[in-house]
Short mmCIF file of all heavy atoms in Angstrom, two decimals:
data_model
loop_
_atom_site.label_atom_id
_atom_site.label_comp_id
_atom_site.label_asym_id
_atom_site.label_seq_id
_atom_site.Cartn_x
_atom_site.Cartn_y
_atom_site.Cartn_z
N GLU P 1 305.85 108.17 9.39
CA GLU P 1 307.23 107.80 9.54
C GLU P 1 307.46 106.49 10.23
O GLU P 1 308.33 105.66 9.88
CB GLU P 1 307.99 108.93 10.30
CG GLU P 1 309.47 108.66 10.47
CD GLU P 1 310.26 109.89 11.07
OE1 GLU P 1 309.65 111.00 11.09
OE2 GLU P 1 311.41 109.68 11.44
N GLY P 2 306.60 106.20 11.24
CA GLY P 2 306.72 104.95 11.95
C GLY P 2 306.59 103.75 11.04
O GLY P 2 307.30 102.76 11.17
N VAL P 3 305.57 103.83 10.21
CA VAL P 3 305.35 102.74 9.24
C VAL P 3 306.48 102.55 8.22
O VAL P 3 306.91 101.42 7.90
CB VAL P 3 304.03 102.98 8.46
CG1 VAL P 3 303.87 101.93 7.32
CG2 VAL P 3 302.84 102.86 9.40
N LEU P 4 307.12 103.66 7.75
CA LEU P 4 308.20 103.59 6.96
C LEU P 4 309.40 102.92 7.62
O LEU P 4 310.11 102.15 7.03
CB LEU P 4 308.62 105.02 6.43
CG LEU P 4 307.72 105.63 5.40
CD1 LEU P 4 308.00 107.18 5.32
CD2 LEU P 4 307.82 104.93 4.08
N GLN P 5 309.59 103.25 8.88
CA GLN P 5 310.70 102.61 9.63
C GLN P 5 310.54 101.06 9.78
O GLN P 5 311.46 100.31 9.49
CB GLN P 5 310.84 103.23 11.04
CG GLN P 5 311.26 104.58 11.05
CD GLN P 5 312.80 104.80 11.02
OE1 GLN P 5 313.54 103.79 10.97
NE2 GLN P 5 313.25 106.04 11.13
N GLU P 6 309.34 100.66 10.10
CA GLU P 6 309.01 99.22 10.23
C GLU P 6 309.17 98.51 8.92
O GLU P 6 309.69 97.39 8.81
CB GLU P 6 307.65 99.07 10.83
CG GLU P 6 307.53 99.44 12.31
CD GLU P 6 306.12 99.43 12.77
OE1 GLU P 6 305.30 98.81 12.14
OE2 GLU P 6 305.84 99.96 13.92
N THR P 7 308.61 99.14 7.85
CA THR P 7 308.68 98.59 6.54
C THR P 7 310.07 98.39 6.05
O THR P 7 310.48 97.38 5.46
CB THR P 7 307.84 99.39 5.51
OG1 THR P 7 306.48 99.36 6.06
CG2 THR P 7 307.90 98.82 4.16
N GLY P 8 310.96 99.42 6.31
CA GLY P 8 312.27 99.40 5.89
C GLY P 8 313.04 98.20 6.54
O GLY P 8 313.79 97.48 5.90
N ASP P 9 312.82 98.05 7.87
CA ASP P 9 313.42 96.92 8.59
C ASP P 9 313.05 95.58 7.97
O ASP P 9 313.91 94.68 7.72
CB ASP P 9 313.07 96.93 10.03
CG ASP P 9 313.69 98.11 10.78
OD1 ASP P 9 314.63 98.74 10.22
OD2 ASP P 9 313.17 98.44 11.90
N ARG P 10 311.78 95.45 7.66
CA ARG P 10 311.33 94.17 7.11
C ARG P 10 311.91 93.83 5.70
O ARG P 10 312.32 92.79 5.47
CB ARG P 10 309.79 94.15 7.04
CG ARG P 10 309.20 92.89 6.43
CD ARG P 10 307.68 92.97 6.41
NE ARG P 10 307.13 94.07 5.63
CZ ARG P 10 307.09 94.08 4.32
NH1 ARG P 10 307.53 93.00 3.60
NH2 ARG P 10 306.61 95.15 3.67
N LEU P 11 311.85 94.86 4.86
CA LEU P 11 312.38 94.67 3.46
C LEU P 11 313.88 94.45 3.44
O LEU P 11 314.32 93.65 2.68
CB LEU P 11 312.03 95.93 2.62
CG LEU P 11 310.62 96.10 2.32
CD1 LEU P 11 310.32 97.38 1.55
CD2 LEU P 11 309.99 94.92 1.46
N LEU P 12 314.59 95.05 4.27
CA LEU P 12 316.04 94.96 4.34
C LEU P 12 316.39 93.57 4.80
O LEU P 12 317.43 92.97 4.31
CB LEU P 12 316.69 96.00 5.25
CG LEU P 12 316.68 97.44 4.72
CD1 LEU P 12 317.22 98.41 5.73
CD2 LEU P 12 317.34 97.60 3.34
N ALA P 13 315.60 93.03 5.68
CA ALA P 13 315.85 91.66 6.15
C ALA P 13 315.59 90.63 5.05
O ALA P 13 316.27 89.61 4.95
CB ALA P 13 315.00 91.34 7.41
N ARG P 14 314.54 90.90 4.21
CA ARG P 14 314.19 89.95 3.19
C ARG P 14 315.05 90.07 1.96
O ARG P 14 315.40 89.03 1.30
CB ARG P 14 312.75 90.20 2.76
CG ARG P 14 312.33 89.35 1.64
CD ARG P 14 310.88 89.31 1.30
NE ARG P 14 310.61 88.47 0.24
CZ ARG P 14 309.42 88.33 -0.37
NH1 ARG P 14 308.38 89.02 0.03
NH2 ARG P 14 309.28 87.47 -1.42
N PHE P 15 315.54 91.24 1.64
CA PHE P 15 316.40 91.46 0.41
C PHE P 15 317.74 91.99 0.82
O PHE P 15 317.86 93.23 0.97
CB PHE P 15 315.66 92.41 -0.55
CG PHE P 15 314.30 91.96 -1.05
CD1 PHE P 15 313.15 92.49 -0.54
CD2 PHE P 15 314.21 90.91 -1.98
CE1 PHE P 15 311.90 92.06 -0.99
CE2 PHE P 15 312.94 90.49 -2.40
CZ PHE P 15 311.78 91.00 -1.88
N PRO P 16 318.73 91.23 0.97
CA PRO P 16 320.03 91.67 1.43
C PRO P 16 320.74 92.73 0.57
O PRO P 16 321.55 93.37 1.03
CB PRO P 16 320.86 90.32 1.54
CG PRO P 16 319.85 89.23 1.63
CD PRO P 16 318.71 89.71 0.82
N TRP P 17 320.31 92.69 -0.73
CA TRP P 17 320.93 93.61 -1.64
C TRP P 17 320.26 94.98 -1.65
O TRP P 17 320.72 95.95 -2.31
CB TRP P 17 320.81 93.01 -3.06
CG TRP P 17 319.41 92.55 -3.47
CD1 TRP P 17 318.93 91.31 -3.28
CD2 TRP P 17 318.34 93.36 -3.92
NE1 TRP P 17 317.58 91.23 -3.72
CE2 TRP P 17 317.23 92.49 -4.07
CE3 TRP P 17 318.26 94.68 -4.34
CZ2 TRP P 17 316.00 92.91 -4.59
CZ3 TRP P 17 316.99 95.13 -4.78
CH2 TRP P 17 315.89 94.26 -4.90
N LEU P 18 319.14 95.18 -1.02
CA LEU P 18 318.22 96.34 -1.19
C LEU P 18 318.75 97.52 -0.37
O LEU P 18 319.22 97.45 0.69
CB LEU P 18 316.87 96.01 -0.72
CG LEU P 18 315.77 97.02 -0.98
CD1 LEU P 18 315.52 97.33 -2.45
CD2 LEU P 18 314.43 96.58 -0.28
N GLN P 19 318.58 98.66 -1.09
CA GLN P 19 318.76 99.96 -0.36
C GLN P 19 317.40 100.63 -0.34
O GLN P 19 316.76 100.74 -1.32
CB GLN P 19 319.82 100.87 -1.04
CG GLN P 19 320.05 102.26 -0.39
CD GLN P 19 320.96 103.13 -1.09
OE1 GLN P 19 321.79 102.60 -1.92
NE2 GLN P 19 320.91 104.45 -0.85
N VAL P 20 317.02 101.15 0.78
CA VAL P 20 315.73 101.79 0.98
C VAL P 20 315.97 103.27 1.40
O VAL P 20 316.60 103.56 2.37
CB VAL P 20 314.85 101.11 2.06
CG1 VAL P 20 313.54 101.91 2.26
CG2 VAL P 20 314.59 99.69 1.67
N ASN P 21 315.50 104.17 0.59
CA ASN P 21 315.57 105.61 0.86
C ASN P 21 314.15 106.11 1.14
O ASN P 21 313.42 106.48 0.22
CB ASN P 21 316.21 106.37 -0.25
CG ASN P 21 317.67 106.06 -0.48
OD1 ASN P 21 318.32 105.52 0.43
ND2 ASN P 21 318.16 106.32 -1.65
N ALA P 22 313.72 106.04 2.37
CA ALA P 22 312.35 106.37 2.74
C ALA P 22 312.09 107.91 2.69
O ALA P 22 312.93 108.72 3.01
CB ALA P 22 312.00 105.85 4.10
N LEU P 23 310.88 108.24 2.29
CA LEU P 23 310.51 109.64 2.06
C LEU P 23 309.21 109.90 2.98
O LEU P 23 308.22 109.30 2.69
CB LEU P 23 310.24 109.95 0.61
CG LEU P 23 311.38 109.66 -0.39
CD1 LEU P 23 310.85 109.70 -1.85
CD2 LEU P 23 312.51 110.61 -0.11
N VAL P 24 309.30 110.90 3.83
CA VAL P 24 308.14 111.24 4.61
C VAL P 24 307.52 112.51 4.07
O VAL P 24 308.17 113.51 3.95
CB VAL P 24 308.54 111.48 6.12
CG1 VAL P 24 307.31 111.79 6.96
CG2 VAL P 24 309.35 110.29 6.69
N GLY P 25 306.21 112.47 3.74
CA GLY P 25 305.58 113.62 3.20
C GLY P 25 304.20 113.30 2.62
O GLY P 25 303.79 112.10 2.62
N ASP P 26 303.56 114.29 2.17
CA ASP P 26 302.18 114.21 1.59
C ASP P 26 302.31 114.54 0.06
O ASP P 26 302.56 115.60 -0.30
CB ASP P 26 301.30 115.23 2.26
CG ASP P 26 299.83 115.17 1.80
OD1 ASP P 26 299.58 114.53 0.75
OD2 ASP P 26 298.99 115.76 2.48
N TYR P 27 302.20 113.49 -0.74
CA TYR P 27 302.31 113.63 -2.13
C TYR P 27 301.23 114.51 -2.74
O TYR P 27 301.43 115.00 -3.90
CB TYR P 27 302.42 112.28 -2.83
CG TYR P 27 301.25 111.38 -2.65
CD1 TYR P 27 300.02 111.51 -3.32
CD2 TYR P 27 301.29 110.32 -1.76
CE1 TYR P 27 299.00 110.66 -3.14
CE2 TYR P 27 300.33 109.42 -1.56
CZ TYR P 27 299.09 109.61 -2.23
OH TYR P 27 298.05 108.74 -2.05
N THR P 28 300.10 114.76 -2.09
CA THR P 28 299.09 115.61 -2.64
C THR P 28 299.57 117.04 -2.57
O THR P 28 298.88 117.92 -3.15
CB THR P 28 297.76 115.40 -1.81
OG1 THR P 28 297.86 115.81 -0.48
CG2 THR P 28 297.28 114.00 -1.94
N ALA P 29 300.63 117.35 -1.83
CA ALA P 29 301.09 118.77 -1.78
C ALA P 29 302.10 119.12 -2.92
O ALA P 29 302.81 120.04 -2.86
CB ALA P 29 301.81 118.95 -0.42
N GLY P 30 302.12 118.28 -3.97
CA GLY P 30 302.99 118.50 -5.06
C GLY P 30 304.28 117.70 -4.98
O GLY P 30 304.68 117.31 -3.87
N LEU P 31 304.99 117.58 -6.07
CA LEU P 31 306.14 116.76 -6.14
C LEU P 31 307.45 117.52 -6.51
O LEU P 31 308.46 116.87 -6.87
CB LEU P 31 305.92 115.59 -7.20
CG LEU P 31 304.67 114.70 -6.91
CD1 LEU P 31 304.57 113.68 -8.07
CD2 LEU P 31 304.76 114.05 -5.62
N ASP P 32 307.37 118.81 -6.41
CA ASP P 32 308.50 119.59 -6.78
C ASP P 32 309.76 119.27 -6.00
O ASP P 32 310.86 119.37 -6.50
CB ASP P 32 308.25 121.12 -6.57
CG ASP P 32 307.13 121.72 -7.55
OD1 ASP P 32 306.71 120.91 -8.39
OD2 ASP P 32 306.86 122.85 -7.46
N HIS P 33 309.59 118.80 -4.75
CA HIS P 33 310.76 118.60 -3.89
C HIS P 33 311.02 117.07 -3.69
O HIS P 33 311.87 116.71 -2.97
CB HIS P 33 310.60 119.23 -2.48
CG HIS P 33 310.31 120.65 -2.60
ND1 HIS P 33 311.26 121.56 -3.10
CD2 HIS P 33 309.25 121.49 -2.23
CE1 HIS P 33 310.75 122.81 -3.05
NE2 HIS P 33 309.59 122.74 -2.50
N LEU P 34 310.28 116.29 -4.54
CA LEU P 34 310.57 114.84 -4.45
C LEU P 34 311.90 114.60 -5.17
O LEU P 34 312.11 115.07 -6.26
CB LEU P 34 309.42 114.08 -5.23
CG LEU P 34 309.49 112.57 -5.30
CD1 LEU P 34 309.32 111.96 -3.93
CD2 LEU P 34 308.53 112.04 -6.33
N PRO P 35 312.85 113.83 -4.50
CA PRO P 35 314.12 113.60 -5.09
C PRO P 35 313.98 112.92 -6.51
O PRO P 35 313.07 112.09 -6.76
CB PRO P 35 314.78 112.64 -4.13
CG PRO P 35 314.14 112.95 -2.79
CD PRO P 35 312.73 113.26 -3.13
N ARG P 36 314.90 113.30 -7.44
CA ARG P 36 314.94 112.64 -8.75
C ARG P 36 316.25 111.82 -8.77
O ARG P 36 317.30 112.34 -9.16
CB ARG P 36 314.94 113.68 -9.83
CG ARG P 36 313.54 114.37 -10.03
CD ARG P 36 313.54 115.19 -11.27
NE ARG P 36 312.25 115.85 -11.59
CZ ARG P 36 311.98 117.06 -11.19
NH1 ARG P 36 312.88 117.81 -10.49
NH2 ARG P 36 310.82 117.57 -11.47
N PRO P 37 316.21 110.55 -8.39
CA PRO P 37 317.47 109.83 -8.41
C PRO P 37 317.92 109.58 -9.83
O PRO P 37 317.11 109.48 -10.75
CB PRO P 37 317.03 108.51 -7.75
CG PRO P 37 315.61 108.36 -7.91
CD PRO P 37 315.03 109.81 -7.92
N ALA P 38 319.22 109.54 -10.00
CA ALA P 38 319.82 109.36 -11.31
C ALA P 38 319.57 107.89 -11.81
O ALA P 38 319.97 106.94 -11.12
CB ALA P 38 321.36 109.63 -11.25
N GLY P 39 318.98 107.78 -12.94
CA GLY P 39 318.65 106.45 -13.47
C GLY P 39 317.16 106.29 -13.79
O GLY P 39 316.35 107.11 -13.33
N ARG P 40 316.81 105.22 -14.40
CA ARG P 40 315.47 104.99 -14.83
C ARG P 40 314.60 104.70 -13.63
O ARG P 40 314.80 103.74 -12.80
CB ARG P 40 315.44 103.85 -15.80
CG ARG P 40 314.08 103.60 -16.47
CD ARG P 40 314.21 102.77 -17.75
NE ARG P 40 315.07 101.55 -17.45
CZ ARG P 40 316.34 101.41 -17.88
NH1 ARG P 40 316.90 102.38 -18.54
NH2 ARG P 40 316.98 100.30 -17.55
N CYS P 41 313.44 105.39 -13.53
CA CYS P 41 312.55 105.26 -12.39
C CYS P 41 311.28 104.61 -12.82
O CYS P 41 310.61 104.92 -13.79
CB CYS P 41 312.24 106.61 -11.78
SG CYS P 41 313.62 107.38 -10.96
N LEU P 42 310.75 103.71 -11.95
CA LEU P 42 309.46 103.18 -12.06
C LEU P 42 308.61 103.77 -10.87
O LEU P 42 308.93 103.45 -9.74
CB LEU P 42 309.41 101.69 -11.99
CG LEU P 42 308.05 100.97 -12.00
CD1 LEU P 42 307.19 101.36 -13.30
CD2 LEU P 42 308.12 99.49 -11.79
N TYR P 43 307.69 104.61 -11.17
CA TYR P 43 306.86 105.22 -10.12
C TYR P 43 305.60 104.22 -9.95
O TYR P 43 305.07 103.69 -10.95
CB TYR P 43 306.31 106.60 -10.53
CG TYR P 43 307.45 107.60 -10.54
CD1 TYR P 43 308.23 107.81 -11.78
CD2 TYR P 43 307.86 108.28 -9.44
CE1 TYR P 43 309.31 108.66 -11.75
CE2 TYR P 43 308.94 109.15 -9.44
CZ TYR P 43 309.62 109.34 -10.64
OH TYR P 43 310.67 110.23 -10.63
N VAL P 44 305.33 103.94 -8.73
CA VAL P 44 304.32 102.89 -8.44
C VAL P 44 303.22 103.57 -7.55
O VAL P 44 303.53 104.24 -6.55
CB VAL P 44 304.98 101.77 -7.65
CG1 VAL P 44 303.93 100.73 -7.26
CG2 VAL P 44 306.05 101.13 -8.50
N PHE P 45 301.99 103.35 -7.93
CA PHE P 45 300.81 103.86 -7.21
C PHE P 45 299.81 102.77 -7.29
O PHE P 45 298.99 102.64 -8.23
CB PHE P 45 300.36 105.13 -7.90
CG PHE P 45 299.42 106.00 -7.14
CD1 PHE P 45 299.55 106.05 -5.69
CD2 PHE P 45 298.51 106.76 -7.67
CE1 PHE P 45 298.78 106.86 -4.95
CE2 PHE P 45 297.64 107.59 -6.98
CZ PHE P 45 297.77 107.66 -5.57
N LEU P 46 299.76 102.00 -6.22
CA LEU P 46 298.97 100.78 -6.15
C LEU P 46 297.71 100.89 -5.30
O LEU P 46 297.47 101.93 -4.73
CB LEU P 46 299.86 99.59 -5.67
CG LEU P 46 301.05 99.23 -6.52
CD1 LEU P 46 301.90 98.18 -5.84
CD2 LEU P 46 300.62 98.79 -7.85
#
């Protein structure tokens, strides 16, 4: 969570138009409860 908070602050300062909805959790525990936002999604795993 701490890294997500710091990252959100940095990205919001760089991109004034951006909205960040941070998610805290372990994706290896399954994605059933991962939010499905309305609209086309690009999932990124880098």
Side-chain angles (χ1 to χ4, degrees):
E1 183 171 348
V3 171
L4 287 167
Q5 292 276 2
E6 292 176 10
T7 298
D9 290 343
R10 178 180 59 79
L11 290 174
L12 292 175
R14 177 169 178 185
F15 300 105
W17 50 267
L18 185 63
Q19 180 181 341
V20 177
N21 294 340
L23 304 166
V24 183
D26 185 344
Y27 56 79
T28 66
L31 304 178
D32 291 0
H33 303 300
L34 181 67
R36 290 189 176 94
R40 188 165 46 257
C41 291
L42 175 61
Y43 293 90
V44 176
F45 198 31
L46 297 175

